[in-house]
Amino acid sequence: MTTLAPAHPRIDWSGMVLALLLTLVIVGPLLVVATWAFTEVWRYPNIIPQQFGFRFWGQTLGRPDVWNALILSLRLSTVVTLLSALICLPAAYAFARMTFPGRDILFFSFLAGHAFPKFGLLVAIAAIFLQLDLIGTFWGVVLIQLVGTLMFMIWIPVAAFQAVDRRMEEAARDVGAGPLRVFWSITLPQAGPTIAAALLLSFVGTFYETEGAWLIGAPGIRTMPILMISYINNQMVIQYGAVLSVLLWVPSFIALMFARRIIGGGAFARGFGG
Amino acid sequence: MSVLNIAEVTKTFSGGTNAVDRFSLDVAGGELVCLLGPSGSGKSTLLRMVGGFEQPTGGRITIDGEDVTHLPPERRPTGMVFQSHALWTHMNVFKNVAFGLRLRRMPAKQIREKVEAVLELVGLAGYGDRMTTQLSGGQQQRVALARSLVLEPKILLLDEPFASLDQHLRERLRDEVRDIQQRLGITTLFVTHGQDEALSMADRIVVIANGRAEQIGRPDAVYRDPKTPFVAGFIGLMNLIEGEVKNGHFIRSEFTTPLPIADGPATLAIRPEALDLTASNAPTARVHRVTDYGSHGLVDLDLADGTRLKSTVANLDLFQAGQGVGLLPRAVAAYRENQQIYRS
């Protein structure tokens, strides 16, 4: 009997080395931060900490500013994501399915926000916000963070809507559904998984956004990542920053697990036209 | 009585080309009419105008006397089956079929009964819980058919419904669809580019080219008596020979045959089965290839100027490549300026 595959598949050494390197570069730093979060004493030149413990967790979580920042960050991300969906999804549908003058130019203009050095753009916007009394306010930060979500929330849903088979929509019209009903019952569910991916990216992206939140929000608005930066910058105790970092993993980790369950690998790729 | 009336319908696309050009057709109740034509002939555009997916630029479409020309698809009593099935992949079979009934706010119990009945009709009883992606191509097409039939449309529109299926399945499904169509007595407009489908299923065939009806008639009539050279060449195998008529004889290269029409250029049409081959001392054609199709044999012939002809023969052993033969047409038709002017 002959088979095409050898009985003992050869080990792909170059692949192994590559995987190992990637692991080292990606997981290594995460591991160090995680270790610090559960460390009470770790002095040079020891390779592993002398004393593990949860003391700094208690101290960090006992601080009211941490809780305020967490709740604020969740509120901000939720509001920004919802607003972004409200604005971008109809726009994305229009870009995907309708023809109107200036369509292509408008479409590419959503990239423009990402074509400039972001900080320069933010400073310019901050100057305008200053006159509008939006500096240091919740809605000021919401507005600035909306800009950051536009690209994801337009480009990915446009690809999603374009990928929906026109015949499916026509078949729904044929059995008696009006245009709105077709959108609700056919187009949206078909594009759903990819749009969910875009929403998730927006949420996570907003949650971790620092430049806009800091420039527009300071000093009144302190989001989780900004709090973390200030801990790392101003406090000599490494563990505060480390604990917060580990805490900040949690939402993105949950989000990504959730995404994997409901979306599956293909949707992200499809969202980018893959 | 005519259920569907298409009157002088024209569709001009933005480029200025006429996809459909002043097309008229009457379809009687319970009739199955095939729109047959090559790709790009406008047959699908015509069907989509009846379904309401395209707007005609001119003309009128009426169903049961009601002018539907400008009604959107959801307000027309038509049901369309698409070539790509166009099933909703996020719903199971039951929901696909029930969707239209739910839109009509039918009570759930009644919906269940109707959906089960129609699934039984298309041979998919018990498949309601399956996701459409778990079905084979043929089963998907049955679901698409059920989805249209359950709404009891006045007119069923089929847009190349079997094009994506393999040969065997296609033949089986077309018999089934014809059975169902006749049992329900549902008026049907069927688009295809496959003449087998048209000849085997249709009550009448409309041969379309360049957006116009070349010929409308019963399948046997269209096959036996094609009214234009296009129809002659499109339906079945046909030898179409361009030549000259002089003194009552058609002449092409060394091939001549009596043709009692006025002198001038003409196109002669001979079916392979109506072209007999004879042993001849002065052969007019040479055998190029002999092909055995099991049930019959087909001989490819070349005239002296290279014109290729085909002849169906019962006994293949009599012929071999390179052999010279005489040609004896048993039945011919002749065309001049796109019109049939003679038929034997």
Side-chain angles (χ1 to χ4, degrees), chain A residues 14-112:
Chain A
S14 56
M16 290 278 280
V17 170
L18 213 64
L20 214 70
L21 269 175
L22 272 175
T23 312
L24 226 67
V25 173
I26 295 171
V27 179
L30 295 180
L31 215 62
V32 173
V33 175
T35 312
W36 265 115
F38 297 98
T39 293
E40 293 187 2
V41 184
W42 190 358
R43 289 196 191 87
Y44 184 81
N46 290 57
I47 294 181
I48 54 166
Q50 285 98 331
Q51 195 187 338
F52 288 104
F54 287 94
R55 186 155 58 90
F56 288 94
W57 282 79
Q59 285 184 11
T60 312
L61 293 178
R63 299 178 62 129
D65 55 350
V66 169
W67 286 103
N68 288 341
L70 184 65
I71 288 162
L72 176 70
S73 275
L74 287 175
R75 261 176 61 211
L76 257 178
S77 304
T78 310
V79 169
V80 168
T81 306
L82 287 180
L83 271 180
S84 184
L86 211 64
I87 297 165
C88 294
L89 290 185
Y93 185 80
F95 279 125
R97 282 296 159 85
M98 300 170 190
T99 45
F100 47 88
R103 180 179 169 278
D104 290 347
I105 292 172
L106 261 174
F107 189 41
F108 277 97
S109 73
F110 284 97
L111 266 185

Side-chain angles (χ1 to χ4, degrees), chain B residues 274-321:
Chain B
L275 182 62
D276 284 348
L277 305 182
T278 59
S280 169
N281 293 331
T284 49
R286 203 157 285 284
V287 173
H288 171 75
R289 185 189 290 125
V290 180
T291 315
D292 190 351
Y293 283 97
S295 58
H296 64 281
L298 195 66
V299 178
D300 285 358
L301 308 148
D302 285 331
L303 296 184
D305 67 353
T307 306
R308 174 66 50 84
L309 302 178
K310 288 173 189 297
S311 167
T312 313
V313 295
N315 195 346
L316 274 176
D317 302 336
L318 296 176
F319 304 98
Q320 56 194 13

Side-chain angles (χ1 to χ4, degrees), chain A residues 1-9:
Chain A
M1 199 181 91
T2 54
T3 51
L4 288 174
H8 299 285

Side-chain angles (χ1 to χ4, degrees), chain A residues 165 167-179 181-182 185-187 189-190, chain B residues 48 53 72-74 78-80 82 84 86-90 99-100 103-104 147 151:
Chain A
D165 184 359
R167 299 283 182 261
M168 278 192 200
E169 296 173 330
E170 287 182 347
R173 291 292 294 271
D174 196 52
V175 299
R181 184 65 202 236
V182 171
S185 295
I186 309 297
T187 316
Q190 283 288 323
Chain B
R48 290 173 59 78
F53 302 108
E74 63 267 27
T78 53
M80 178 107 148
F82 295 85
S84 56
L87 296 179
W88 304 307
T89 49
H90 59 288
F99 185 68
L103 290 175
R104 285 159 179 72
R147 183 172 68 181
L151 299 172

Side-chain angles (χ1 to χ4, degrees), chain B residues 29-263:
Chain B
E31 195 180 19
L32 190 154
V33 173
C34 253
L35 304 175
L36 177 65
S39 23
S41 58
K43 57 189 192 301
S44 275
T45 307
L46 189 63
L47 193 80
R48 290 173 59 78
M49 285 194 286
V50 176
F53 302 108
E54 303 275 356
Q55 280 291 309
T57 27
R60 251 164 60 102
I61 298 171
T62 52
I63 296 172
D64 260 355
E66 188 199 356
D67 187 343
V68 299
T69 316
H70 300 292
L71 286 186
E74 63 267 27
R75 291 179 51 203
R76 296 189 186 206
T78 53
M80 178 107 148
V81 176
F82 295 85
Q83 177 183 340
S84 56
H85 320 313
L87 296 179
W88 304 307
T89 49
H90 59 288
M91 303 180 190
N92 63 19
V93 170
F94 181 90
K95 284 181 178 161
N96 264 275
V97 179
F99 185 68
L101 297 173
R102 290 208 170 122
L103 290 175
R104 285 159 179 72
R105 306 197 180 283
M106 192 177 274
K109 187 165 167 281
Q110 210 176 333
I111 290 180
R112 182 154 289 280
E113 284 165 8
K114 289 197 82 137
V115 172
E116 275 165 11
V118 79
L119 284 180
E120 171 118 32
L121 180 73
V122 298
L124 285 179
Y127 277 73
D129 292 333
R130 302 274 186 101
M131 289 311 283
T132 56
T133 43
Q134 296 172 309
L135 302 179
S136 69
Q139 290 169 332
Q140 291 187 17
Q141 201 53 281
R142 287 161 206 258
V143 176
L145 186 65
R147 183 172 68 181
S148 290
L149 287 178
V150 78
L151 299 172
E152 297 166 20
K154 283 183 182 156
I155 295 168
L156 185 64
L157 305 171
L158 304 169
D159 188 6
E160 309 221 14
F162 311 135
S164 59
L165 309 175
D166 67 54
Q167 177 77 20
H168 277 289
L169 198 55
R170 197 170 2 192
E171 282 170 15
R172 217 175 84 201
L173 261 177
R174 88 184 172 210
D175 287 347
E176 284 181 29
V177 168
R178 178 63 163 157
D179 282 346
I180 290 171
Q181 184 266 335
Q182 284 180 326
R183 200 168 348 144
L184 300 179
I186 185 167
T187 311
T188 304
L189 206 54
F190 188 114
V191 158
T192 180
H193 62 263
Q195 44 170 308
D196 287 353
E197 245 158 62
L199 291 170
S200 65
M201 290 179 75
D203 292 310
R204 272 194 303 156
I205 292 179
V206 181
V207 182
I208 301 185
N210 301 318
R212 313 191 101 183
E214 288 272 328
Q215 186 169 351
I216 302 178
R218 292 163 47 87
D220 55 329
V222 173
Y223 184 84
R224 291 216 184 89
D225 187 16
K227 292 296 183 198
T228 69
F230 176 83
V231 177
F234 192 71
I235 309 263
L237 274 181
M238 179 70 92
N239 296 302
L240 283 174
I241 315 164
E242 308 278 339
E244 284 284 323
V245 176
K246 266 186 201 147
N247 303 324
H249 275 78
F250 175 88
I251 303 166
R252 170 76 190 228
S253 188
E254 274 146 42
F255 168 63
T256 68
T257 187
L259 192 61
I261 58 173
D263 287 3

